[in-house]
Amino acid sequence: MKKATVGAVVVGSAAAVAVAALIVRHRMRKSNKKGRAMSILKEFEEKCATPDAKLKQVADAMTVEMHAGLASEGGSKLKMLISYVNNLPTGDEGGVFYALDLGGTNFRVLRVQLGRKDGGIIHQEFAEASIPPNLMVGSSEALFDYIAAELAKFVAEEEEKFHPPPGRQRELGFTFSFPIMQTSINSGTLIRWTKGFSIDDTVGKDVVVELTKAMQRQGIAMRVSALVNDTVGTLAGGRFSNKDVSIAVILGTGTNAAYVERAQAIPKWHGPLPKSGEMVINMEWGNFRSSHLPLTEYDHAMDTDSLNPGEQIFEKICSGMYLGEILRRVLLRMAEEAGIFGDEVPSKLKSSFILRTPEMSAMHHDTSSDLRVVGDKLKDILEISNTSLKTRRLVVELCNIVATRGARLAAAGVLGIVKKMGRDTPRETGPEKIVVAMDGGLYEHYTEYRKCLENTLVELLGAEMSTNIVFQHANDGSGIGAALLAASNSMYVEDKSRG
């Protein structure tokens, strides 16, 4: 009996030792995992770092590429497209003008009434329609007929007071946010479709001719006075309300910038110099790249997996389409190597682009004590329940790293434009205001990103110069801007000047 008791005690103590060893191992594993998560975070933070010195190198590289792109076609990753917009709105425009804004799967038609010097925009209204999926891959004629039919409906419903005077044709600004080779203020051939469109018989054709033929088939007497890209439209819209606007930046799903350049500073321009001496340049800056950009393994992997590897590198680290995806990739690695969401890697976390930037923004802006919004988003989107407060804090920290890098690099891009314009140092004639017209959902809705961008530019320009730079939100710049450019390039304005 005694022997059995001793045996039981020995077995019992051995079991206790084994359990204790398991507990120690579990704690060590937990500690190791936590350490691994922190080391992934630290490494990512270091790779994304944007000290002022680096941002100034990025700005200088942007300026160099701008010079190269203006010197010759294909001379730079920046296309530096000549927009043929040399008459920006002055605020003197009057009359009723239309705009057609085709930016993607939705399009809008607008009517804008302008009241000359003191009137500004007296009246504006718009209608919106989405393009049926079958027309995005059908024929050119079918697409433009559908657009023209919606435009005809809009015109048919207008009040009599908006009717043009006898002998005068209605005029339209056409915002076409796809890659085109512009050949004049109101002509341009489609280089390629993007954003889910694939209509082969439009490629290489003049989109204004296609739209004009469709309008004629619908019986609309309307002339396209201006063909513009959405960023150029934003610049025009900003200039109408503030004569100091000389740069426009869109930060939305994608990103782009346009600015006013001296016509003499464009070596690849071979036509007669415009009377204004100026030309708006559409930079297509999303395609900018430089060895100074702080790229990580996650960026390289995302680029490799993308539809356009090696292209749009700047856009892929700054704009709304990609920020949430970068965050997802870092979280996936932490889930795989550090088990931050438990022993199993959540299957949803493996889905590319499942984590969108609006969700990332909501988590970044969560000010609740228990970070409830972060917990809800992880549960709703990734089906990850019961996350600890530590894990939620980690997620917010990652949001901050991704957004800060993007916003600071966008600010460096703006500084590059300011440098190219020679406006980064004080002038003898005194301070000259630089107003940047900003548009896009990322800028408008992601408050932390917007504040970081604006503060960074102030920081980079220094105390004396930063007081001269102003950001102006140009909401719906692309649509209004197109109508304004139709006004400033109206054939009737030309007639008047000839007379």
Side-chain angles (χ1 to χ4, degrees):
M1 290 294 289
K2 277 185 180 177
K3 276 185 181 175
T5 307
V6 170
V9 169
V10 169
V11 170
S13 63
V17 168
V19 169
L22 272 173
I23 291 167
V24 169
R25 270 206 301 276
H26 177 70
R27 280 181 182 156
M28 281 176 69
R29 195 159 59 238
K30 209 170 170 187
S31 166
N32 287 343
K33 280 186 170 181
K34 189 187 169 196
R36 182 72 192 119
M38 290 317 292
S39 72
I40 292 170
L41 175 82
K42 284 286 163 232
E43 184 191 7
F44 182 58
E45 191 171 30
E46 283 164 17
K47 291 263 177 73
C48 288
T50 50
D52 287 2
K54 183 180 272 291
L55 293 180
K56 285 175 179 172
Q57 289 176 317
V58 170
D60 288 340
M62 181 73 80
T63 306
V64 167
E65 290 296 314
M66 289 171 77
H67 277 284
L70 289 173
S72 62
E73 293 298 346
S76 162
K77 278 279 185 188
L78 296 180
K79 287 199 166 57
M80 302 300 285
L81 300 172
I82 293 168
S83 70
Y84 291 86
V85 171
N86 51 55
N87 286 324
L88 280 164
T90 60
D92 290 345
E93 292 78 15
V96 175
F97 294 90
Y98 294 79
L100 176 62
D101 187 355
L102 180 63
T105 51
N106 291 339
F107 73 95
R108 293 179 321 137
V109 288
L110 298 90
R111 181 185 301 111
V112 179
Q113 186 181 18
L114 306 170
R116 302 205 184 280
K117 230 176 188 45
D118 303 317
I121 296 172
I122 297 171
H123 175 86
Q124 57 176 296
E125 54 189 302
F126 70 92
E128 202 157 9
S130 56
I131 293 172
N134 61 307
L135 292 183
M136 293 168 66
V137 292
S139 70
S140 189
E141 190 170 304
L143 174 69
F144 282 99
D145 276 350
Y146 176 75
I147 291 168
E150 291 296 322
L151 182 59
K153 244 186 273 178
F154 185 69
V155 171
E157 290 164 5
E158 78 178 8
E159 295 173 52
E160 199 174 321
K161 65 178 180 182
F162 296 130
H163 290 188
R168 182 163 175 158
Q169 210 177 4
R170 291 181 178 91
E171 292 185 287
L172 173 98
F174 185 15
T175 301
F176 187 77
S177 302
F178 299 89
I180 52 170
M181 180 51 71
Q182 196 121 3
T183 45
S184 76
I185 185 61
N186 62 350
S187 61
T189 54
L190 177 67
I191 297 168
R192 66 179 180 277
W193 285 107
T194 56
K195 307 175 194 179
F197 283 78
S198 182
I199 305 170
D200 291 343
D201 65 341
T202 325
V203 176
K205 286 186 180 170
D206 185 333
V207 292
V208 171
V209 170
E210 294 298 291
L211 177 61
T212 302
K213 287 194 294 196
M215 289 193 298
Q216 285 166 351
R217 287 193 290 269
Q218 291 292 333
I220 312 170
M222 196 178 279
R223 172 181 178 267
V224 179
S225 302
L227 173 65
V228 295
N229 149 285
D230 54 355
T231 319
V232 175
T234 298
L235 178 55
R239 174 66 72 94
F240 181 76
S241 56
N242 188 328
K243 63 178 175 47
D244 292 322
V245 168
S246 51
I247 300 171
V249 176
I250 289 184
L251 281 160
T253 306
T255 183
N256 192 15
Y259 74 106
V260 180
E261 181 59 274
R262 290 176 304 111
Q264 286 176 316
I266 311 171
K268 70 181 179 183
W269 171 259
H270 299 304
L273 289 180
K275 279 183 197 154
S276 66
E278 295 181 335
M279 179 65 72
V280 174
I281 298 294
N282 165 20
M283 291 175 61
E284 293 294 336
W285 83 351
N287 208 35
F288 169 70
R289 68 180 309 165
S290 158
S291 58
H292 300 297
L293 292 176
L295 297 171
T296 68
E297 64 198 86
Y298 310 100
D299 301 303
H300 292 303
M302 181 175 72
D303 177 49
T304 302
D305 295 344
S306 71
L307 295 171
N308 53 349
E311 300 295 318
Q312 301 297 105
I313 299 299
F314 194 59
E315 182 167 88
K316 284 171 183 168
I317 49 179
C318 291
S319 79
M321 182 167 176
Y322 302 98
L323 301 183
E325 173 62 6
I326 297 164
L327 173 66
R328 180 196 70 83
R329 285 171 179 266
V330 184
L331 288 174
L332 177 61
R333 185 168 173 209
M334 286 185 168
E336 288 170 342
E337 296 183 19
I340 61 167
F341 300 123
D343 294 334
E344 291 290 316
V345 175
S347 60
K348 290 267 187 183
L349 192 55
K350 296 174 185 174
S351 305
S352 294
F353 291 94
I354 193 170
L355 194 55
R356 294 165 56 250
T357 301
E359 275 81 44
M360 171 180 153
S361 168
M363 293 193 292
H364 193 174
H365 293 133
D366 188 358
T367 53
S368 60
S369 57
D370 60 347
L371 295 178
R372 185 177 41 81
V373 176
V374 178
D376 290 348
K377 292 290 179 192
L378 293 173
K379 189 179 175 186
D380 296 346
I381 301 154
L382 301 171
E383 294 174 2
I384 301 169
S385 305
N386 308 320
T387 47
S388 69
L389 186 55
K390 273 183 184 168
T391 300
R392 294 177 191 190
R393 283 189 182 131
L394 189 67
V395 172
V396 174
E397 208 167 331
L398 286 172
C399 291
N400 190 52
I401 294 168
V402 174
T404 299
R405 178 185 66 164
R408 284 176 66 80
L409 287 170
V414 176
L415 178 62
I417 302 173
V418 172
K419 278 174 170 278
K420 172 67 185 73
M421 296 171 81
R423 307 275 284 276
D424 59 319
T425 51
R427 295 190 169 193
E428 287 175 20
T429 51
E432 199 174 355
K433 269 221 172 338
I434 306 165
V435 182
V436 186
M438 303 290 300
D439 199 9
L442 183 64
Y443 178 82
E444 187 178 353
H445 302 299
Y446 201 146
T447 312
E448 288 295 325
Y449 186 105
R450 179 176 69 242
K451 285 195 300 197
C452 180
L453 185 156
E454 293 178 356
N455 293 340
T456 302
L457 192 59
V458 164
E459 198 180 292
L460 292 172
L461 278 169
E464 189 182 355
M465 290 303 297
S466 65
T467 54
N468 303 327
I469 194 140
V470 177
F471 289 90
Q472 175 181 302
H473 181 215
N475 197 10
D476 183 33
S478 57
I480 299 282
L484 291 167
L485 284 168
S488 55
N489 291 280
S490 163
M491 65 191 286
Y492 304 107
V493 170
E494 290 168 12
D495 288 348
K496 200 165 64 181
S497 65
R498 285 193 197 109

mmCIF file of all heavy atoms in Angstrom, residues 324-325 327-328 331 346-363 373-385 395:
data_model
loop_
_atom_site.group_PDB
_atom_site.id
_atom_site.type_symbol
_atom_site.label_atom_id
_atom_site.label_comp_id
_atom_site.label_asym_id
_atom_site.label_seq_id
_atom_site.Cartn_x
_atom_site.Cartn_y
_atom_site.Cartn_z
ATOM 1 N N GLY A 324 -4.978 50.572 -47.670
ATOM 2 C CA GLY A 324 -5.587 49.478 -46.909
ATOM 3 C C GLY A 324 -4.956 48.131 -47.241
ATOM 4 O O GLY A 324 -4.806 47.259 -46.380
ATOM 5 N N GLU A 325 -4.552 47.971 -48.520
ATOM 6 C CA GLU A 325 -3.936 46.711 -48.946
ATOM 7 C C GLU A 325 -2.546 46.544 -48.338
ATOM 8 O O GLU A 325 -2.151 45.436 -47.960
ATOM 9 C CB GLU A 325 -3.875 46.667 -50.475
ATOM 10 C CG GLU A 325 -3.108 45.503 -51.077
ATOM 11 C CD GLU A 325 -3.665 44.125 -50.764
ATOM 12 O OE1 GLU A 325 -4.757 44.014 -50.146
ATOM 13 O OE2 GLU A 325 -3.002 43.136 -51.124
ATOM 14 N N LEU A 327 -1.638 47.747 -45.424
ATOM 15 C CA LEU A 327 -1.954 47.391 -44.037
ATOM 16 C C LEU A 327 -2.291 45.898 -43.930
ATOM 17 O O LEU A 327 -1.797 45.200 -43.047
ATOM 18 C CB LEU A 327 -3.127 48.249 -43.543
ATOM 19 C CG LEU A 327 -3.696 47.895 -42.165
ATOM 20 C CD1 LEU A 327 -2.683 48.172 -41.060
ATOM 21 C CD2 LEU A 327 -4.986 48.687 -41.900
ATOM 22 N N ARG A 328 -3.126 45.410 -44.839
ATOM 23 C CA ARG A 328 -3.523 43.992 -44.806
ATOM 24 C C ARG A 328 -2.303 43.073 -44.911
ATOM 25 O O ARG A 328 -2.190 42.067 -44.202
ATOM 26 C CB ARG A 328 -4.490 43.688 -45.955
ATOM 27 C CG ARG A 328 -4.959 42.228 -45.983
ATOM 28 C CD ARG A 328 -5.585 41.834 -47.298
ATOM 29 N NE ARG A 328 -4.616 41.765 -48.384
ATOM 30 C CZ ARG A 328 -3.823 40.700 -48.634
ATOM 31 N NH1 ARG A 328 -3.875 39.623 -47.847
ATOM 32 N NH2 ARG A 328 -2.974 40.700 -49.649
ATOM 33 N N LEU A 331 -0.442 42.968 -41.619
ATOM 34 C CA LEU A 331 -1.226 42.201 -40.635
ATOM 35 C C LEU A 331 -1.159 40.704 -40.926
ATOM 36 O O LEU A 331 -1.070 39.880 -39.997
ATOM 37 C CB LEU A 331 -2.690 42.666 -40.639
ATOM 38 C CG LEU A 331 -2.974 44.041 -40.022
ATOM 39 C CD1 LEU A 331 -4.433 44.436 -40.241
ATOM 40 C CD2 LEU A 331 -2.642 44.061 -38.526
ATOM 41 N N PRO A 346 -6.477 33.971 -39.915
ATOM 42 C CA PRO A 346 -7.836 34.201 -40.438
ATOM 43 C C PRO A 346 -7.859 34.141 -41.967
ATOM 44 O O PRO A 346 -7.054 34.811 -42.627
ATOM 45 C CB PRO A 346 -8.180 35.613 -39.939
ATOM 46 C CG PRO A 346 -7.257 35.862 -38.788
ATOM 47 C CD PRO A 346 -6.006 35.115 -39.103
ATOM 48 N N SER A 347 -8.760 33.321 -42.523
ATOM 49 C CA SER A 347 -8.759 33.098 -43.978
ATOM 50 C C SER A 347 -9.061 34.378 -44.756
ATOM 51 O O SER A 347 -8.504 34.615 -45.823
ATOM 52 C CB SER A 347 -9.757 32.001 -44.345
ATOM 53 O OG SER A 347 -11.060 32.389 -43.946
ATOM 54 N N LYS A 348 -9.936 35.231 -44.214
ATOM 55 C CA LYS A 348 -10.298 36.467 -44.919
ATOM 56 C C LYS A 348 -9.089 37.397 -45.087
ATOM 57 O O LYS A 348 -9.014 38.171 -46.027
ATOM 58 C CB LYS A 348 -11.391 37.233 -44.154
ATOM 59 C CG LYS A 348 -12.744 36.556 -44.181
ATOM 60 C CD LYS A 348 -13.577 37.071 -45.332
ATOM 61 C CE LYS A 348 -14.987 36.541 -45.281
ATOM 62 N NZ LYS A 348 -15.782 36.972 -46.417
ATOM 63 N N LEU A 349 -8.168 37.302 -44.136
ATOM 64 C CA LEU A 349 -6.982 38.172 -44.165
ATOM 65 C C LEU A 349 -6.099 37.851 -45.371
ATOM 66 O O LEU A 349 -5.239 38.647 -45.752
ATOM 67 C CB LEU A 349 -6.206 38.008 -42.852
ATOM 68 C CG LEU A 349 -5.096 39.013 -42.531
ATOM 69 C CD1 LEU A 349 -5.609 40.456 -42.570
ATOM 70 C CD2 LEU A 349 -4.487 38.720 -41.166
ATOM 71 N N LYS A 350 -6.333 36.677 -45.981
ATOM 72 C CA LYS A 350 -5.525 36.281 -47.151
ATOM 73 C C LYS A 350 -6.087 36.852 -48.453
ATOM 74 O O LYS A 350 -5.491 36.689 -49.511
ATOM 75 C CB LYS A 350 -5.464 34.749 -47.237
ATOM 76 C CG LYS A 350 -4.758 34.114 -46.047
ATOM 77 C CD LYS A 350 -4.845 32.592 -46.114
ATOM 78 C CE LYS A 350 -4.241 31.951 -44.867
ATOM 79 N NZ LYS A 350 -4.437 30.497 -44.844
ATOM 80 N N SER A 351 -7.255 37.503 -48.381
ATOM 81 C CA SER A 351 -7.899 38.042 -49.607
ATOM 82 C C SER A 351 -7.364 39.429 -49.946
ATOM 83 O O SER A 351 -7.521 40.362 -49.158
ATOM 84 C CB SER A 351 -9.418 38.140 -49.419
ATOM 85 O OG SER A 351 -9.943 36.899 -49.036
ATOM 86 N N SER A 352 -6.769 39.552 -51.113
ATOM 87 C CA SER A 352 -6.221 40.847 -51.549
ATOM 88 C C SER A 352 -7.314 41.908 -51.616
ATOM 89 O O SER A 352 -8.433 41.624 -52.048
ATOM 90 C CB SER A 352 -5.577 40.711 -52.930
ATOM 91 O OG SER A 352 -4.450 39.879 -52.846
ATOM 92 N N PHE A 353 -6.981 43.091 -51.191
ATOM 93 C CA PHE A 353 -7.840 44.285 -51.268
ATOM 94 C C PHE A 353 -9.156 44.168 -50.490
ATOM 95 O O PHE A 353 -10.089 44.917 -50.721
ATOM 96 C CB PHE A 353 -8.100 44.693 -52.733
ATOM 97 C CG PHE A 353 -6.867 45.226 -53.403
ATOM 98 C CD1 PHE A 353 -6.040 44.398 -54.148
ATOM 99 C CD2 PHE A 353 -6.515 46.565 -53.255
ATOM 100 C CE1 PHE A 353 -4.882 44.885 -54.743
ATOM 101 C CE2 PHE A 353 -5.351 47.064 -53.843
ATOM 102 C CZ PHE A 353 -4.531 46.228 -54.579
ATOM 103 N N ILE A 354 -9.218 43.204 -49.551
ATOM 104 C CA ILE A 354 -10.437 43.085 -48.739
ATOM 105 C C ILE A 354 -10.520 44.233 -47.721
ATOM 106 O O ILE A 354 -11.605 44.660 -47.334
ATOM 107 C CB ILE A 354 -10.499 41.707 -48.026
ATOM 108 C CG1 ILE A 354 -11.910 41.484 -47.445
ATOM 109 C CG2 ILE A 354 -9.423 41.583 -46.932
ATOM 110 C CD1 ILE A 354 -12.176 40.084 -46.939
ATOM 111 N N LEU A 355 -9.355 44.748 -47.335
ATOM 112 C CA LEU A 355 -9.312 45.832 -46.349
ATOM 113 C C LEU A 355 -9.158 47.155 -47.100
ATOM 114 O O LEU A 355 -8.097 47.461 -47.628
ATOM 115 C CB LEU A 355 -8.130 45.611 -45.388
ATOM 116 C CG LEU A 355 -8.092 46.422 -44.099
ATOM 117 C CD1 LEU A 355 -9.371 46.242 -43.291
ATOM 118 C CD2 LEU A 355 -6.895 46.007 -43.256
ATOM 119 N N ARG A 356 -10.240 47.912 -47.188
ATOM 120 C CA ARG A 356 -10.219 49.146 -47.976
ATOM 121 C C ARG A 356 -9.749 50.324 -47.120
ATOM 122 O O ARG A 356 -9.845 50.294 -45.895
ATOM 123 C CB ARG A 356 -11.604 49.413 -48.563
ATOM 124 C CG ARG A 356 -12.035 48.367 -49.587
ATOM 125 C CD ARG A 356 -13.509 48.418 -49.907
ATOM 126 N NE ARG A 356 -13.921 49.738 -50.376
ATOM 127 C CZ ARG A 356 -14.688 50.580 -49.688
ATOM 128 N NH1 ARG A 356 -15.133 50.235 -48.479
ATOM 129 N NH2 ARG A 356 -15.026 51.741 -50.191
ATOM 130 N N THR A 357 -9.291 51.366 -47.794
ATOM 131 C CA THR A 357 -8.767 52.532 -47.066
ATOM 132 C C THR A 357 -9.834 53.224 -46.200
ATOM 133 O O THR A 357 -9.501 53.673 -45.103
ATOM 134 C CB THR A 357 -8.081 53.503 -48.047
ATOM 135 O OG1 THR A 357 -7.032 52.772 -48.696
ATOM 136 C CG2 THR A 357 -7.490 54.702 -47.341
ATOM 137 N N PRO A 358 -11.109 53.336 -46.610
ATOM 138 C CA PRO A 358 -12.101 53.937 -45.692
ATOM 139 C C PRO A 358 -12.179 53.200 -44.351
ATOM 140 O O PRO A 358 -12.349 53.829 -43.303
ATOM 141 C CB PRO A 358 -13.420 53.820 -46.468
ATOM 142 C CG PRO A 358 -13.006 53.840 -47.898
ATOM 143 C CD PRO A 358 -11.694 53.103 -47.951
ATOM 144 N N GLU A 359 -12.032 51.868 -44.383
ATOM 145 C CA GLU A 359 -12.045 51.093 -43.126
ATOM 146 C C GLU A 359 -10.769 51.375 -42.311
ATOM 147 O O GLU A 359 -10.805 51.490 -41.088
ATOM 148 C CB GLU A 359 -12.147 49.591 -43.409
ATOM 149 C CG GLU A 359 -13.558 49.112 -43.608
ATOM 150 C CD GLU A 359 -14.091 49.384 -45.015
ATOM 151 O OE1 GLU A 359 -13.370 49.158 -45.987
ATOM 152 O OE2 GLU A 359 -15.255 49.850 -45.115
ATOM 153 N N MET A 360 -9.662 51.474 -43.017
ATOM 154 C CA MET A 360 -8.397 51.805 -42.343
ATOM 155 C C MET A 360 -8.497 53.183 -41.682
ATOM 156 O O MET A 360 -8.070 53.377 -40.542
ATOM 157 C CB MET A 360 -7.258 51.793 -43.377
ATOM 158 C CG MET A 360 -5.939 52.319 -42.861
ATOM 159 S SD MET A 360 -4.681 52.253 -44.156
ATOM 160 C CE MET A 360 -3.601 53.589 -43.625
ATOM 161 N N SER A 361 -9.090 54.131 -42.394
ATOM 162 C CA SER A 361 -9.277 55.484 -41.866
ATOM 163 C C SER A 361 -10.138 55.454 -40.604
ATOM 164 O O SER A 361 -9.823 56.095 -39.601
ATOM 165 C CB SER A 361 -9.923 56.365 -42.942
ATOM 166 O OG SER A 361 -10.369 57.575 -42.404
ATOM 167 N N ALA A 362 -11.227 54.683 -40.644
ATOM 168 C CA ALA A 362 -12.129 54.586 -39.476
ATOM 169 C C ALA A 362 -11.380 54.020 -38.266
ATOM 170 O O ALA A 362 -11.557 54.492 -37.140
ATOM 171 C CB ALA A 362 -13.329 53.701 -39.814
ATOM 172 N N MET A 363 -10.518 53.032 -38.497
ATOM 173 C CA MET A 363 -9.754 52.441 -37.385
ATOM 174 C C MET A 363 -8.711 53.436 -36.865
ATOM 175 O O MET A 363 -8.518 53.574 -35.658
ATOM 176 C CB MET A 363 -9.080 51.135 -37.838
ATOM 177 C CG MET A 363 -10.077 50.031 -38.143
ATOM 178 S SD MET A 363 -9.338 48.375 -38.327
ATOM 179 C CE MET A 363 -8.412 48.546 -39.842
ATOM 180 N N VAL A 373 -14.174 50.613 -32.411
ATOM 181 C CA VAL A 373 -14.318 50.665 -33.881
ATOM 182 C C VAL A 373 -13.341 49.685 -34.536
ATOM 183 O O VAL A 373 -13.692 48.967 -35.472
ATOM 184 C CB VAL A 373 -14.079 52.099 -34.415
ATOM 185 C CG1 VAL A 373 -14.141 52.129 -35.936
ATOM 186 C CG2 VAL A 373 -15.091 53.073 -33.819
ATOM 187 N N VAL A 374 -12.104 49.653 -33.998
ATOM 188 C CA VAL A 374 -11.100 48.728 -34.541
ATOM 189 C C VAL A 374 -11.599 47.292 -34.398
ATOM 190 O O VAL A 374 -11.569 46.505 -35.354
ATOM 191 C CB VAL A 374 -9.733 48.895 -33.820
ATOM 192 C CG1 VAL A 374 -8.714 47.890 -34.355
ATOM 193 C CG2 VAL A 374 -9.208 50.320 -33.986
ATOM 194 N N GLY A 375 -12.101 46.964 -33.209
ATOM 195 C CA GLY A 375 -12.625 45.612 -32.958
ATOM 196 C C GLY A 375 -13.761 45.261 -33.905
ATOM 197 O O GLY A 375 -13.802 44.165 -34.477
ATOM 198 N N ASP A 376 -14.695 46.213 -34.093
ATOM 199 C CA ASP A 376 -15.852 45.982 -34.983
ATOM 200 C C ASP A 376 -15.418 45.771 -36.432
ATOM 201 O O ASP A 376 -15.937 44.892 -37.125
ATOM 202 C CB ASP A 376 -16.827 47.166 -34.911
ATOM 203 C CG ASP A 376 -17.561 47.241 -33.577
ATOM 204 O OD1 ASP A 376 -17.487 46.245 -32.807
ATOM 205 O OD2 ASP A 376 -18.185 48.287 -33.294
ATOM 206 N N LYS A 377 -14.467 46.596 -36.891
ATOM 207 C CA LYS A 377 -14.006 46.487 -38.289
ATOM 208 C C LYS A 377 -13.308 45.148 -38.524
ATOM 209 O O LYS A 377 -13.527 44.491 -39.543
ATOM 210 C CB LYS A 377 -13.052 47.638 -38.652
ATOM 211 C CG LYS A 377 -13.709 49.007 -38.695
ATOM 212 C CD LYS A 377 -14.657 49.142 -39.865
ATOM 213 C CE LYS A 377 -15.341 50.502 -39.904
ATOM 214 N NZ LYS A 377 -16.463 50.536 -40.849
ATOM 215 N N LEU A 378 -12.460 44.741 -37.582
ATOM 216 C CA LEU A 378 -11.762 43.458 -37.722
ATOM 217 C C LEU A 378 -12.761 42.304 -37.770
ATOM 218 O O LEU A 378 -12.594 41.343 -38.520
ATOM 219 C CB LEU A 378 -10.772 43.250 -36.566
ATOM 220 C CG LEU A 378 -9.568 44.209 -36.528
ATOM 221 C CD1 LEU A 378 -8.764 44.007 -35.245
ATOM 222 C CD2 LEU A 378 -8.671 44.029 -37.741
ATOM 223 N N LYS A 379 -13.827 42.436 -36.964
ATOM 224 C CA LYS A 379 -14.857 41.389 -36.926
ATOM 225 C C LYS A 379 -15.694 41.386 -38.205
ATOM 226 O O LYS A 379 -15.924 40.349 -38.820
ATOM 227 C CB LYS A 379 -15.752 41.615 -35.698
ATOM 228 C CG LYS A 379 -16.724 40.472 -35.444
ATOM 229 C CD LYS A 379 -17.550 40.736 -34.210
ATOM 230 C CE LYS A 379 -18.597 39.638 -34.028
ATOM 231 N NZ LYS A 379 -19.515 39.932 -32.928
ATOM 232 N N ASP A 380 -16.157 42.583 -38.620
ATOM 233 C CA ASP A 380 -17.064 42.673 -39.777
ATOM 234 C C ASP A 380 -16.382 42.333 -41.099
ATOM 235 O O ASP A 380 -16.974 41.692 -41.965
ATOM 236 C CB ASP A 380 -17.657 44.090 -39.886
ATOM 237 C CG ASP A 380 -18.529 44.436 -38.686
ATOM 238 O OD1 ASP A 380 -18.884 43.506 -37.937
ATOM 239 O OD2 ASP A 380 -18.831 45.633 -38.493
ATOM 240 N N ILE A 381 -15.130 42.801 -41.263
ATOM 241 C CA ILE A 381 -14.465 42.639 -42.560
ATOM 242 C C ILE A 381 -13.648 41.352 -42.619
ATOM 243 O O ILE A 381 -13.675 40.627 -43.603
ATOM 244 C CB ILE A 381 -13.536 43.849 -42.854
ATOM 245 C CG1 ILE A 381 -14.338 45.147 -42.852
ATOM 246 C CG2 ILE A 381 -12.828 43.699 -44.197
ATOM 247 C CD1 ILE A 381 -13.519 46.358 -42.513
ATOM 248 N N LEU A 382 -12.909 41.081 -41.539
ATOM 249 C CA LEU A 382 -11.982 39.950 -41.562
ATOM 250 C C LEU A 382 -12.467 38.750 -40.743
ATOM 251 O O LEU A 382 -11.787 37.730 -40.668
ATOM 252 C CB LEU A 382 -10.607 40.407 -41.050
ATOM 253 C CG LEU A 382 -9.963 41.557 -41.844
ATOM 254 C CD1 LEU A 382 -8.723 42.076 -41.121
ATOM 255 C CD2 LEU A 382 -9.599 41.113 -43.254
ATOM 256 N N GLU A 383 -13.656 38.910 -40.109
ATOM 257 C CA GLU A 383 -14.238 37.845 -39.274
ATOM 258 C C GLU A 383 -13.284 37.409 -38.152
ATOM 259 O O GLU A 383 -13.134 36.224 -37.848
ATOM 260 C CB GLU A 383 -14.656 36.648 -40.133
ATOM 261 C CG GLU A 383 -15.796 37.003 -41.083
ATOM 262 C CD GLU A 383 -16.156 35.885 -42.050
ATOM 263 O OE1 GLU A 383 -15.541 34.797 -41.964
ATOM 264 O OE2 GLU A 383 -17.038 36.118 -42.896
ATOM 265 N N ILE A 384 -12.603 38.417 -37.573
ATOM 266 C CA ILE A 384 -11.700 38.153 -36.442
ATOM 267 C C ILE A 384 -12.386 38.673 -35.178
ATOM 268 O O ILE A 384 -12.579 39.876 -35.019
ATOM 269 C CB ILE A 384 -10.343 38.870 -36.636
ATOM 270 C CG1 ILE A 384 -9.664 38.409 -37.934
ATOM 271 C CG2 ILE A 384 -9.444 38.630 -35.435
ATOM 272 C CD1 ILE A 384 -8.466 39.246 -38.342
ATOM 273 N N SER A 385 -12.764 37.756 -34.292
ATOM 274 C CA SER A 385 -13.478 38.151 -33.069
ATOM 275 C C SER A 385 -12.527 38.202 -31.878
ATOM 276 O O SER A 385 -11.410 37.673 -31.923
ATOM 277 C CB SER A 385 -14.593 37.148 -32.766
ATOM 278 O OG SER A 385 -15.437 37.045 -33.894
ATOM 279 N N VAL A 395 -2.824 47.550 -34.405
ATOM 280 C CA VAL A 395 -3.472 47.867 -35.698
ATOM 281 C C VAL A 395 -3.480 49.378 -35.932
ATOM 282 O O VAL A 395 -3.141 49.852 -37.025
ATOM 283 C CB VAL A 395 -4.907 47.285 -35.750
ATOM 284 C CG1 VAL A 395 -5.650 47.781 -36.995
ATOM 285 C CG2 VAL A 395 -4.878 45.757 -35.734
#
